[in-house]
Amino acid sequence: MKKTRLLMIMLLVIGTLLSACGGNSSDDSAASAGEKTSIKVGVTAGPHEEIMNKVKEVAAKEGLDIEVVVFNDYVLPNQALDKGNIDVNSFQTIPFLEKFNEDHKTQIVEIGKTVTFPMGIYSTKYKKVEDIPEGGTVGIQNDPTNRARALLLYQAAGLIKLKDGVGDKATPQDIIENPKKLVFKELEAALLARTLKSLDAASINTNFAMEAGYNPKKDAIFAEGADSPYVNILAVNAKDKDNPLYQKLVTLYRSEEVKKFIEEEFSGSVLPSW
């Protein structure tokens, strides 16, 4: 009888130990299964959105799920990233990011270069920049980085001259020569393409031009060259810059499949820049 009770106690102890071991194994499996395999990427509507949807397609084959979150301006994607509402964004140039960090005291950093969207001057009324009339009203972006970029573009087109050395800090107050006495109207970048018909011309970012149905190669009456310093980037909060999942996103974005898509889909209006 004593032997039977002892045997039962031993079996109970062994069963408890095995159960505990099995529980740990299950917990480990759950932890492993719970590893992050999805990320939220913020983009602006248009080409950035289209490219990221292609990256999403490629990533799915690698077991990475990408949720593409679309914004319609240049401020919200960084605000959402800073607040942790998205993990990565893909819409901005380095000069724009540097200015945003400075103005908003954020710590957002680049993790990889992506594409270049040459900014262009567009008009529904004139075929050449020389045809823009004296006293004409022309649109430029109202955010500091794109405004300076636009003014440099108007200078490159021979319409104005800026003070030496102002570079990416240029404002309309830095115009020292304006032979056509052009009136510069500042608007949000996303609105310029929509209001183009009410202006004599406007500088428009490629993504917004394409979203509005314009073909940058055919419809821009003047555009930046391939040597534009305004390369777009993938960006994250500084604390996440070494996150392997986000580094994987960079690799997938730069895959041959995505590069081929960009070249075929945009026919030179958007340039792979890695």
Side-chain angles (χ1 to χ4, degrees):
M1 188 71 175
K2 289 182 178 178
K3 289 182 178 180
T4 302
R5 289 180 63 188
L6 182 59
L7 179 60
M8 290 177 66
I9 293 170
M10 289 178 66
L11 289 172
L12 182 61
V13 171
I14 292 170
T16 302
L17 289 171
L18 289 173
S19 176
C21 290
N24 287 339
S25 176
S26 176
D27 289 345
D28 289 344
S29 297
S32 177
E35 287 178 3
K36 187 176 173 70
T37 57
S38 64
I39 53 178
K40 289 185 178 182
V41 182
V43 298
T44 44
H48 280 300
E49 178 186 4
E50 294 177 53
I51 296 169
M52 192 54 65
N53 279 328
K54 182 63 180 180
V55 177
K56 176 179 179 177
E57 178 187 315
V58 174
K61 302 173 189 175
E62 300 291 328
L64 174 61
D65 178 48
I66 296 175
E67 180 183 343
V68 181
V69 182
V70 183
F71 298 90
N72 288 303
D73 73 5
Y74 284 154
V75 176
L76 291 176
N78 275 337
Q79 290 180 337
L81 181 60
D82 182 55
K83 292 176 182 176
N85 295 330
I86 57 175
D87 302 304
V88 185
N89 66 36
S90 177
F91 80 99
Q92 65 193 321
T93 64
I94 293 173
F96 182 90
L97 174 58
E98 290 175 345
K99 181 63 176 171
F100 187 92
N101 278 334
E102 179 184 338
D103 290 346
H104 297 84
K105 310 305 178 189
T106 46
Q107 295 184 341
I108 299 172
V109 298
E110 171 202 343
I111 56 170
K113 293 178 174 59
T114 56
V115 292
T116 300
F117 293 76
M119 183 183 285
I121 297 174
Y122 294 77
S123 176
T124 58
K125 301 174 183 178
Y126 308 105
K127 298 293 185 183
K128 298 182 293 183
V129 290
E130 293 84 358
D131 296 336
I132 298 173
E134 184 171 337
T137 299
V138 296
I140 59 173
Q141 293 80 343
N142 66 357
D143 64 274
T145 302
N146 279 298
R147 179 175 57 208
R149 182 180 180 182
L151 291 169
L152 290 168
L153 180 63
Y154 279 100
Q155 177 173 256
L159 292 170
I160 61 171
K161 184 176 180 181
L162 298 165
K163 294 177 185 175
D164 290 339
V166 292
D168 59 12
K169 290 182 171 48
T171 71
Q173 286 68 46
D174 295 312
I175 297 172
I176 57 175
E177 291 182 21
N178 183 4
K180 285 181 177 282
K181 298 180 175 59
L182 299 176
V183 177
F184 288 88
K185 184 173 183 177
E186 297 186 28
L187 295 168
E188 288 187 19
L191 294 178
L192 287 165
R194 302 176 205 168
T195 57
L196 181 59
K197 291 180 180 179
S198 67
L199 301 165
D200 290 297
S203 55
I204 304 177
N205 298 80
T206 294
N207 57 315
F208 291 129
M210 295 179 72
E211 185 185 354
Y214 296 109
N215 182 319
K217 290 203 76 173
K218 294 179 181 178
D219 297 326
I221 60 176
F222 189 83
E224 293 173 334
D227 57 348
S228 169
Y230 294 91
V231 180
N232 286 264
I233 59 172
L234 289 164
V236 299
N237 286 306
K239 63 183 178 62
D240 296 323
K241 65 184 179 66
D242 296 320
N243 186 312
L245 200 60
Y246 305 158
Q247 292 297 330
K248 182 176 182 178
L249 174 65
V250 176
T251 301
L252 292 169
Y253 194 112
R254 296 175 170 184
S255 66
E256 283 302 313
E257 191 173 345
V258 173
K259 182 179 180 182
K260 183 179 179 182
F261 170 81
I262 294 169
E263 292 172 340
E264 293 180 351
E265 186 71 16
F266 302 112
S267 304
S269 298
V270 180
L271 308 173
S273 301
W274 61 84

